[in-house]
Amino acid sequence: MDISDLSGRWALVTGAGSGIGGATALALARRGADLAICDIDEDGMAQTLSAVEALGRKTIARRVDVADREAMRAFAEAVHAEIPAVDILVNNAGVAIAATFVDTTLEDWEWIVGINLMGVIHGCHFFVPRMIERGAGGHVVNISSMAGYLALVSMSAYNVTKFGVRGLSEAMRGELAPHGIGVTAVCPGIINTPIVGKMRVRGLAGHESRQQAVQAFTRRNYPPERLAAGILDAIRRNKAVAPITPEARAGWWLKRLAPGLVHWLNRRAGKRIAEEEAGRTPGA
Ligand SMILES: NC(=O)c1ccc[n+]([C@@H]2O[C@H](COP(=O)([O-])OP(=O)(O)OC[C@H]3O[C@@H](n4cnc5c(N)ncnc54)[C@H](O)[C@@H]3O)[C@@H](O)[C@H]2O)c1
C-alpha cells in the first residue's frame, strides 16, 4: 500500500494510549492519516489524541475494552457512522504474563486470550467486512510478537495468543488479497514500553521473569517510535510476517535453521526454573 501520503485516509489503532500503539498512531498521523483510536487507559489515550490533533488530523476516540464484544461492536458503529470503512486497521492492544503453565490460572488464560487474541479477532470481525464492502483495499496490521514463533518457558499463555494472532493473520492474508487488502503479522522483539512493568507474574519463575524482562527492556532501549517506522515499512511492502528488531529477526531464522538449538535452550531454562523452585542452586 502506498503510504507516502495518507491524507484523507483513516487509520484505526487499538491500545493507542501507550507504547507501540501510541507511537504507531502518531507515525500514521504524521503521514496525513486521520485516526480512530481506543484504549481502556483514558489518560494515555488523551495524550495520543492531543498529539494527533496537534497535527491537524481528525480523530475518533473511545474508551473501549477490546475483549468486550459489545463494546467493540459499538465502537465500530461509531466509526462507521462517520466513514464507510477504515483504510488501515492496527490491532495492537495487548497485555503480558510471565508464569509457567502450572502456575497460570484459568482466569489468567481467559484474561489474556480475551485481550490478546479475541481483541484482535474482534477488531478484524467488526472492521474488515466494511473494508471489503467499500472495495478500495487497505491494510490490516495485527501485532503478534517474537513470541508468536518462539515458544519459551514461563510464556505459554502469552505464546498461545501471539501464535494465534500470527496464524489468524496468515490465513486472512490469503482471503483478503483478492480484495486488495494486505495483512501483516508484526512480530516485535524487545521494545522499551511499560508492558513488562504492568504484566501479571505468577510463581518464582514469573517474578524472576519480570526482573529479567524489566532489565532487558531497559538495557535494550529500542524505542516504540522506531518500531512504528518498521510497521509503516511493513505496510508499504505488504509483508506477511514482519519480525522487526534484530533479535526478532535472529529468532525467526534460528527457529527455521536450528530448531533443535531452540528446544535445547528452552529445556535448559525449564530445568533451571524447576531447580530454583525446588529450592536448589542451579547446577548444584
Ligand atoms: N513491548 C514489547 O517488547 C512487545 C514485544 C512484542 C509484542 N508486543 C505487543 O505490542 C502490543 C503493544 O504493547 P506495548 O509494548 O506497546 O504495551 P503498552 O502497555 O505500552 O501498551 C498497550 C496498550 O494497550 C492497552 N490495553 C490493554 N488492555 C486493553 C484492553 N482490554 N482494551 C483496550 N486497550 C487495552 C493498554 O492500556 C495500553 O495503552 C501488545 O499487543 C504487545 O503484546 C510488545
Side-chain angles (χ1 to χ4, degrees):
M1 178 175 175
D2 180 7
I3 53 154
S4 52
D5 180 7
L6 294 174
S7 311
R9 308 280 196 106
W10 277 83
L12 185 146
V13 182
T14 68
S18 175
I20 295 168
T24 304
L26 209 53
L28 289 162
R30 287 205 179 98
R31 293 286 175 110
D34 297 318
L35 256 298
I37 61 172
C38 76
D39 205 299
I40 47 169
D41 172 1
E42 291 185 83
D43 292 343
M45 197 164 53
Q47 283 183 25
T48 304
L49 199 61
S50 64
V52 168
E53 285 175 348
L55 293 167
R57 307 293 172 247
K58 293 183 210 146
T59 54
I60 301 170
R62 293 282 185 285
R63 188 200 179 282
V64 177
D65 176 351
V66 295
D68 181 338
R69 181 196 302 186
E70 292 313 316
M72 282 294 275
R73 188 196 305 278
F75 182 42
E77 281 169 5
V79 170
H80 295 138
E82 305 281 328
I83 55 169
V86 298
D87 296 281
I88 297 173
L89 171 65
V90 184
N91 288 303
N92 160 78
V95 290
I97 182 169
T100 61
F101 175 79
V102 168
D103 286 333
T104 307
T105 68
L106 289 176
E107 193 274 328
D108 290 331
W109 278 101
E110 280 169 6
W111 168 74
I112 199 162
V113 169
I115 298 170
N116 288 12
L117 187 52
M118 287 310 298
V120 175
I121 292 168
H122 289 154
C124 293
H125 178 84
F126 289 115
F127 291 97
V128 168
R130 294 290 290 258
M131 295 170 77
I132 296 173
E133 207 178 299
R134 187 188 53 162
H139 204 94
V140 177
V141 173
N142 293 328
I143 307 295
S144 173
S145 169
M146 181 166 77
Y149 45 82
L150 285 179
L152 302 172
V153 294
S154 307
M155 291 187 71
S156 56
Y158 188 73
N159 280 138
V160 163
T161 65
K162 295 302 182 181
F163 270 65
V165 167
R166 189 164 65 82
L168 170 76
S169 309
E170 290 186 27
M172 284 184 67
R173 183 175 167 84
E175 295 172 11
L176 298 187
H179 302 283
I181 301 170
V183 181
T184 301
V186 166
C187 298
I190 297 168
I191 313 301
N192 198 2
T193 74
I195 195 166
V196 276
K198 297 184 284 189
M199 75 179 172
R200 284 190 184 181
V201 293
R202 301 273 183 238
L204 179 62
H207 285 285
E208 192 188 70
S209 300
R210 190 209 288 281
Q211 278 173 0
Q212 284 174 351
V214 169
Q215 281 169 7
F217 278 52
T218 313
R219 253 199 329 268
R220 179 75 183 87
N221 203 20
Y222 194 103
E225 293 73 21
R226 204 167 151 200
L227 186 87
I231 292 175
L232 263 58
D233 190 54
I235 298 174
R236 183 180 63 79
R237 295 163 64 195
N238 190 15
K239 297 255 294 175
V241 181
I244 291 182
T245 61
E247 65 276 10
R249 283 194 292 274
W252 176 252
W253 288 110
L254 191 67
K255 184 69 192 279
R256 275 172 168 60
L257 301 175
L261 178 60
V262 175
H263 292 309
W264 180 78
L265 290 168
N266 215 20
R267 270 201 312 277
R268 234 174 54 139
K271 184 164 175 263
R272 188 173 51 77
I273 285 170
E275 283 172 346
E276 286 177 9
E277 287 193 330
R280 282 189 279 131
T281 314

